[in-house]
């Protein structure tokens, strides 16, 4: 489960880099690839939005007749009162052009000027997301002509057509973009989540204000929200997701990093081994990581590549045998799991450098997902001991997992996700594969926890969890913690669309944590905690470990190994 991650420019003094000023060929190629991807996705977005507009104003009126939208517009008009009109004026103002430009410029300048290491990628993401929305909006207004609602409008009508709502689109791009930045790894505490929710609420209020003030039809507002969301998706896929190259940092960025390291870093005794998955860490990225290591006193680090036959375990074991004081692991969840399996119980600390599609352990530990930033955060942090899950089954030799193991729908989803889809879409590829796996039959499973009585259940999927959050910020197992000395079991068995909605509600509410007990027999989701679990399936089921399929089987036995793995984490991390 791996894909490339964006990185910072190569150290100019690298002897293997081309002489003279300017960017390295690898960086230039990465920037060109990112620009081509951005252009292609933007054209696709514009075509989609224009197509939807022509559908709404043409054949779509048979499905959603204009009279229905007129009734909504008239309903908002009848709701008008003095105080509500004042509120709507303020909400609408949060999406006007001047406000959007000023906030975007100020935030981007803050991201670059305030942190000691400028957050160029985040600043470029926000600026590109807001700009793309405006560009596509202009294309839409040229191609789709739609009159504004026939109600008393509280604002002067701009020269653009009614479809889409420019205020709503711009507000969605800006405020939802800020919410994304607030929820990036390293900022997922309760306060950040509340802030993200408030930012999303602003975008929603802008859309409602435009309806209240009679400026747009409902589908215009929905179209604006979609345009803003797609702009962020395109910008994020190009600038924040794996496999892209960020905008180049200014010349003084490395100087700032060196000063920061010189203040607190000391020479590190002992050997440092870096286990790298070569499919996700090219020469440029390795040199950038080498520079970060040297800045923190880890000199002459040895880079050891993984292979198809040995995805990281053998390299980590050899590093321990040869006396390594630190093992840095660069790869996806599979590479990190393989290395952690051999580092378990050794006391040799591991620094995680996430370079994959999911990066579940790194995200749950509060590490940045950008490799160089994650490595710097780890090296400036402290040692922490986290739990591992030891697992075995029929056809599955005993090994460890760091994040989650499971059987059923999630494992089938992973089996059905091709490498090409992951490279093109990132983690949303799993969602697409999951939708195609929903028709799989239920499984019958018997569960014995900590030697207790056997529990018999039907289920869509079962998860054995050491951590709680998965891709996209969703928390499937709210009580799971990587350092509580316990593992969590989640049994998902929703029936029909209503069952899935109740399952989502149960996940959002979180379980009532107990030593080992059900959240309610027959509920769409049941949660248990345990130290040892035995699962037996009536028929062979797809199984997975930390996102990697491990074949079908009818048995899984898992137990917790408290504090088995020593990792370097930022101070105050998970």
């Amino acid at each position: 489960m791996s894909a490339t991650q964006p990185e910072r420019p190569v150290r100019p003094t690298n002897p293997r880099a081309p002489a003279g000023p300017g960017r390295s060929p690898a960086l230039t190629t990465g920037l060109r690839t990112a620009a081509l991807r951005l252009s292609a996705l933007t054209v696709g977005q514009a075509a989609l939005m224009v197509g939807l507009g022509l559908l709404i104003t043409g054949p779509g009126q048979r499905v959603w007749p204009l009279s229905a939208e007129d009734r909504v517009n008239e309903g908002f008009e009848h709701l008008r009162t003095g105080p509500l009109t004042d509120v709507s004026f303020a909400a609408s103002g949060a999406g006007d052009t001047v406000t959007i430009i000023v906030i975007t410029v100020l935030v981007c300048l803050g991201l670059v000027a305030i942190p000691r290491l400028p957050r160029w990628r985040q600043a470029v993401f926000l600026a590109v997301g807001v700009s793309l929305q405006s560009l596509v909006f202009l294309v839409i207004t040229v191609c789709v002509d739609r009159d504004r609602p026939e109600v008393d409008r509280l604002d002067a009508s701009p020269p653009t057509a009614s479809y889409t709502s420019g205020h709503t689109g711009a507000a969605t791009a800006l405020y939802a973009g800020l919410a994304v930045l607030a929820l990036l790894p390293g900022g997922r505490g309760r306060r950040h989540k509340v802030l993200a929710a408030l930012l999303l609420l602003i975008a929603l209020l802008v859309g409602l204000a435009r309806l209240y003030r009679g400026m747009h039809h409902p589908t215009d507002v929905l179209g604006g929200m979609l345009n803003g969301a797609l702009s962020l998706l395109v910008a994020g896929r190009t600038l924040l997701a794996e496999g892209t190259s960020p905008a180049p940092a200014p010349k003084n960025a490395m100087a700032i990093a060196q000063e920061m390291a010189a203040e607190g870093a000391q020479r590190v005794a002992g050997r440092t081994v870096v286990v790298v998955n070569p499919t996700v860490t090219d020469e440029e990225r390795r040199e950038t990581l080498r520079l970060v290591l040297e800045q923190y006193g880890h000199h002459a680090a040895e880079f050891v590549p993984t292979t198809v036959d040995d995805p990281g375990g053998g390299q980590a074991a050899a590093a321990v045998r040869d006396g390594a004081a630190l093992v840095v692991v660069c790869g996806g969840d599979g590479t990190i799991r393989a290395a952690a399996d051999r580092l378990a119980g050794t006391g040799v600390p591991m620094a995680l450098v996430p370079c994959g599609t999911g990066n579940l352990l790194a995200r749950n530990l509060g590490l940045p997902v950008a490799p160089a930033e994650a490595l710097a955060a780890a090296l400036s942090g402290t040692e922490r001991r986290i739990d591992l899950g030891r697992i075995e089954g029929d056809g599955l030799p005993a090994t460890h997992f760091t994040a989650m193991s499971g059987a059923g729908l999630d494992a089938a989803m992973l089996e059905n996700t091709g490498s090409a889809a992951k490279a093109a879409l990132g983690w949303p590829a799993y969602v697409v594969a999951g939708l195609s796996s929903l028709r799989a039959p239920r499984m019958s499973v018997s569960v014995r926890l900590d030697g207790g009585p056997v529990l018999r259940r039907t289920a869509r999927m079962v998860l054995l969890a050491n951590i709680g959050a998965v891709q996209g910020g969703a928390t499937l197992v709210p009580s799971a913690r990587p350092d509580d000395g316990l593992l969590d079991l989640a049994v998902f068995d929703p029936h029909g669309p209503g069952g899935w909605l109740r399952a989502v509600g149960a996940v959002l509410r979180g379980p009532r944590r107990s030593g080992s007990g059900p959240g309610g027999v027959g509920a769409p989701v049941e949660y248990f905690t345990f130290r040892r679990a035995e699962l037996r399936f009536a028929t062979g089921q797809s199984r997975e470990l930390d996102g990697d399929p491990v074949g079908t089987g009818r048995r899984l036995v898992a137990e917790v190994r408290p504090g088995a793995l020593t990792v370097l984490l930022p101070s105050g991390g998970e």
Side-chain angles (χ1 to χ4, degrees), residues 116-187:
R116 301 191 69 174
L117 281 177
R119 298 180 179 179
W120 289 96
R121 185 167 51 250
Q122 291 89 331
V124 174
F125 158 74
L126 186 64
V128 170
V130 173
S131 300
L132 278 184
Q133 188 283 145
S134 300
L135 176 62
V136 175
F137 169 73
L138 292 177
V139 173
I140 294 170
T141 58
V142 170
C143 298
V144 181
D145 186 19
R146 190 182 199 187
D147 294 333
R148 295 186 181 272
E150 295 182 358
V151 296
D152 181 25
R153 295 190 285 274
L154 301 181
D155 296 323
S157 299
T160 55
S162 182
Y163 177 88
T164 61
S165 170
H167 280 65
T168 306
T172 302
L174 173 59
Y175 301 114
L178 292 174
V180 169
L181 296 182
L183 294 177
L184 285 176

Side-chain angles (χ1 to χ4, degrees), residues 97 113 180 193 217 223 233 295 314 342 374 383 410 418-419 451 473 503 528:
T97 302
V180 169
K193 292 180 179 179
H217 302 281
L233 182 61
Q295 289 171 349
R342 305 302 289 272
E383 292 185 7
D410 70 314
S419 57
F528 308 82

Side-chain angles (χ1 to χ4, degrees), residues 203-220:
L204 178 61
L205 290 176
V206 171
L208 291 175
R210 300 306 285 170
L211 290 173
Y212 177 91
R213 301 182 71 80
M215 302 308 298
H216 294 282
H217 302 281
T219 48
D220 301 335

